[in-house]
């Protein structure tokens, strides 16, 4: 059973700063627990090493932070090599800076990164591995979380006796169930996301551009110290609401139009993501009110079926939908997803962004999204923002 609306007992009780008079988020504990989960997953997959090139996986096991580029880049790091026992190695742009900030690792564990789309530099990276970890690498079972064609060519040639395996599955296994500290980070990311949403709503009036709504939201995010955003932010208005457009433009919003806002902030590596629909400058028309109600009922129906012990496929079938939402955490999107083809069983502590789109070609489309934690008996909906025309 889903619990929605404001519940003081579930609301986060503190702000985003660290203070000396209470324990808020214990980041040292969180790092320790994440590392243990990663190593437990390695053991269950019988891996000797994990080569982690995905930014979220490197962050998860070490805490290493990097610039968020709007592209896939396997050069510049962070790259983390995690042995089943002992200290990891970290390849990152500006290793001198990183070694000072990640003070829990010795300076000699940091290296300059390589451009891992280039065969010659992949070969240099393998030489680094052998220098740091020794001959144990040569016959090891090595999990790799993402490959470039250059890696696929060079790794087997440089390490012919090693066995290369899927390193993404064990990392997803480690991250699926969020620890209590991670759940607090996720809730704080939502609170900042909600603040950004409200900043956009405060300037929503005829004559504002979609990009200005995004600017107001982003400004609020940065005021609260957000690291980045869940995406470039989806704002669609008027004819952009159906077919649903998942990005903003310079379109000028007009009186009485439907406007979809989908915002998410990143707090200490963890992402918020929620969406609401609004009417610009006036009350909903009868047709808009009916569509808002249909979207709300559709969303409530999806939230109502979520519970542990069921696969995503079973939940989608029960709700009569092919899609109910996506996994989210230290990555903006991460398995498992609430899709008809996903056979993974839900467990307490998993977090999802649950969404739906209700549309009428004559009126437009409405996108609604909430974040939830799977509980022992159902799910906790920690998105507290009201639904236009229904609960506001």
């Amino acid at each position: 059973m889903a619990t929605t609306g404001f519940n003081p007992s579930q609301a986060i009780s503190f702000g985003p700063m660290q203070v000396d008079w209470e324990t808020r988020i214990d980041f040292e504990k969180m790092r320790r627990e994440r590392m243990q989960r990663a190593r437990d997953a390695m053991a269950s997959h019988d891996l000797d090493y994990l080569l982690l090139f995905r930014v979220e996986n490197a962050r998860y096991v070490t805490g290493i932070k990097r610039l968020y580029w709007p592209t896939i880049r396997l050069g510049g790091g962070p790259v983390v090599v995690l042995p089943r026992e002992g200290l990891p190695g970290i390849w990152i742009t500006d290793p001198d800076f990183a070694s000072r900030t990640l003070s829990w690792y010795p300076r000699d564990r940091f290296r300059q990164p390589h451009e891992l789309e280039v065969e010659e530099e992949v070969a240099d990276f393998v030489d680094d591995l052998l220098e740091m970890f020794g001959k144990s690498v040569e016959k090891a079972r090595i999990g790799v979380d993402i490959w470039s064609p250059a890696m696929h060519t060079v790794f087997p040639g440089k390490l012919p006796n090693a066995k290369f395996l899927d390193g993404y599955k064990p990392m997803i296994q480690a991250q699926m169930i969020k620890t209590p500290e991670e759940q607090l980070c996720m809730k704080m990311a939502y609170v900042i996301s909600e603040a950004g949403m409200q900043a956009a709503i405060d300037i929503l009036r005829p004559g504002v551009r979609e990009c200005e709504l995004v600017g107001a939201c982003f400004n609020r995010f940065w005021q609260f110290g957000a690291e980045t955003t869940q995406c470039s932010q989806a704002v669609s208005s008027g004819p952009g609401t159906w077919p649903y457009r998942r990005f903003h433009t310079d379109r000028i919003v007009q009186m009485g139009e439907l406007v979809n806002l989908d915002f998410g902030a990143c707090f200490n590596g963890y992402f918020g993501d929620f969406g609401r629909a609004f009417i610009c400058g006036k009350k909903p028309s009868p047709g808009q009110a009916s569509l808002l109600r249909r979207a709300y009922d559709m969303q409530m129906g999806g939230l109502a079926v979520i519970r542990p012990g069921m696969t995503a496929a079973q939940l989608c079938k029960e709700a009569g939908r092919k899609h109910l939402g996506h996994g989210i955490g230290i990555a903006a999107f991460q398995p498992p997803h609430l899709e008809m083809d996903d056979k993974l069983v839900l467990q307490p502590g998993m977090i999802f962004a649950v969404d739906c789109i209700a549309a009428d070609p004559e009126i437009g489309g409405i996108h609604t999204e909430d974040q939830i934690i799977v509980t022992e008996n159902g799910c906790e909906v920690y998105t507290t923002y009201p639904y236009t025309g229904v609960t506001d």
Side-chain angles (χ1 to χ4, degrees):
M1 180 179 180
T3 58
T4 60
F6 180 69
N7 185 335
S9 67
Q10 296 172 345
I12 199 161
S13 63
F14 49 82
M17 294 175 59
Q18 291 291 75
V19 296
D20 66 351
W21 51 268
E22 70 172 346
T23 300
R24 293 186 169 183
I25 298 172
D26 187 338
F27 290 109
E28 183 175 352
K29 176 185 177 186
M30 186 171 75
R31 287 194 299 268
R32 190 169 59 246
E33 291 175 339
R34 293 189 313 199
M35 176 65 82
Q36 188 59 54
R37 288 190 175 196
R39 284 202 157 125
D40 288 346
M42 287 181 70
S44 71
H45 287 259
D46 192 23
L47 296 176
D48 300 308
Y49 291 91
L50 270 173
L51 306 188
L52 303 176
F53 302 101
R54 291 176 178 263
V55 60
E56 65 270 21
N57 292 339
R59 180 78 175 261
Y60 187 82
V61 298
T62 64
I64 186 71
K65 179 183 175 181
R66 74 150 206 201
L67 173 69
Y68 288 91
W69 288 298
T71 185
I72 296 174
R73 186 187 176 205
L74 296 179
V79 172
V80 169
V81 177
L82 181 66
R84 191 183 294 195
E85 297 180 352
L87 295 172
I90 301 171
W91 284 253
I92 183 71
T93 302
D94 304 317
D96 291 334
F97 172 80
S99 66
R100 290 178 62 185
T101 57
L102 272 69
S103 58
W104 44 94
Y105 293 123
R107 173 63 183 87
D108 64 4
R109 307 310 292 180
F110 295 82
R111 296 287 191 278
Q112 286 284 351
H114 302 278
E115 296 294 334
L116 296 168
E117 297 92 345
V118 180
E119 291 184 11
E120 292 79 5
E121 297 215 29
V122 175
D124 291 340
F125 172 68
V126 175
D127 291 340
D128 281 359
L129 291 182
L130 292 168
E131 184 270 328
M132 182 177 286
F133 296 103
K135 290 184 176 295
S136 64
V137 175
E138 294 179 351
K139 296 183 179 181
R141 291 172 57 86
I142 302 172
V144 184
D145 70 348
I146 191 170
W147 289 76
S148 70
M151 292 181 211
H152 190 266
T153 299
V154 173
F155 281 171
K158 291 280 286 185
L159 297 170
N161 297 315
K163 187 169 184 179
F164 293 95
L165 302 157
D166 186 345
Y168 188 52
K169 285 182 179 178
M171 288 307 300
I172 291 301
Q173 177 183 324
Q175 295 172 35
M176 279 193 307
I177 298 174
K178 308 300 187 284
T179 69
E181 305 303 310
E182 289 181 288
Q183 291 181 26
L184 290 174
C185 286
M186 295 290 292
K187 287 187 174 183
M188 184 59 71
Y190 164 71
V191 171
I192 297 172
S193 302
E194 182 185 273
M197 175 77 76
Q198 188 61 52
I201 295 308
D202 288 344
I203 67 166
L204 176 58
R205 61 182 64 90
V208 73
R209 292 178 297 168
E210 292 176 354
C211 53
E212 291 180 282
L213 297 173
V214 172
C217 172
F218 278 18
N219 182 59
R220 199 66 174 139
F221 284 1
W222 310 146
Q223 288 174 343
F224 281 117
E227 289 187 12
T228 188
T229 64
Q230 188 265 347
C231 61
S232 61
Q233 309 308 328
V235 175
S236 60
S237 62
T241 64
W242 190 254
Y244 182 55
R245 168 168 44 81
R246 292 184 185 270
F247 55 86
H248 65 273
T249 72
D250 60 346
R251 185 179 186 275
I252 300 171
V253 183
Q254 296 176 255
M255 175 69 76
E257 287 186 331
L258 276 173
V259 181
N260 288 301
L261 304 180
D262 182 355
F263 292 148
C266 177
F267 174 76
N268 278 285
Y270 290 86
F271 287 89
D273 183 17
F274 87 110
R276 291 290 186 267
F278 303 89
I279 310 299
C280 179
K282 61 191 297 187
K283 293 183 178 180
S285 69
Q288 289 171 335
S290 176
L291 188 59
L292 286 163
R293 183 74 207 194
R294 179 149 65 92
Y296 173 80
D297 290 342
M298 187 177 180
Q299 182 72 346
M300 292 302 104
L303 293 170
V305 303
I306 295 174
R307 60 194 185 278
M310 304 286 285
T311 66
Q314 289 172 318
L315 298 179
C316 286
K317 184 177 181 180
E318 186 175 335
R321 309 235 317 259
K322 293 182 178 180
H323 165 92
L324 287 173
H326 63 86
I328 189 168
I330 203 166
F333 294 86
Q334 61 178 187
H337 300 299
L338 299 176
E339 304 277 359
M340 183 62 81
D341 293 332
D342 202 317
K343 304 298 191 294
L344 194 74
V345 176
L346 269 66
Q347 300 177 61
M350 290 181 173
I351 293 184
F352 298 95
V354 177
D355 69 335
C356 71
I357 297 177
D360 182 327
E362 299 300 318
I363 299 170
I366 291 174
H367 174 252
T368 300
E369 188 165 20
D370 293 286
Q371 288 189 266
I372 66 100
I373 303 173
V374 179
T375 63
E376 294 292 339
N377 301 311
C379 71
E380 172 197 340
V381 182
Y382 61 90
T383 310
T384 59
Y385 208 87
Y387 303 87
T388 302
V390 181
T391 63
D392 59 353

